[in-house]
């Protein structure tokens, strides 16, 4: 399991110093059904704007 989750979305409430994600869990979904071939086909549903 990942110890550090990084995020470059500056206006997310979970983005902490050093671009560290402070969310207790991360929810990532595929834009292409249940499978994705690249990271470009995914979205982070954990995002919440400031």
């Amino acid at each position: 399991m990942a110890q550090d989750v990084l995020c470059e979305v500056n206006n997310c409430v979970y983005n902490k110093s050093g671009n560290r994600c402070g969310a207790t869990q991360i929810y990532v979904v595929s834009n292409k059904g249940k499978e994705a071939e690249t990271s470009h086909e995914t979205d982070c549903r954990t995002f919440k704007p400031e």
Side-chain angles (χ1 to χ4, degrees), residues 13-27:
V13 298
Y14 300 115
N15 191 339
K16 305 300 178 195
S17 78
N19 287 337
R20 301 260 189 252
C21 180
T24 57
Q25 60 181 320
I26 306 298
Y27 182 30

Side-chain angles (χ1 to χ4, degrees), residues 27-43:
Y27 182 30
V28 178
V29 297
S30 171
N31 297 324
K32 304 284 185 177
K34 294 285 183 182
E35 296 184 13
E37 293 183 24
T38 69
S39 61
H40 296 287
E41 296 176 353
T42 63
D43 289 316

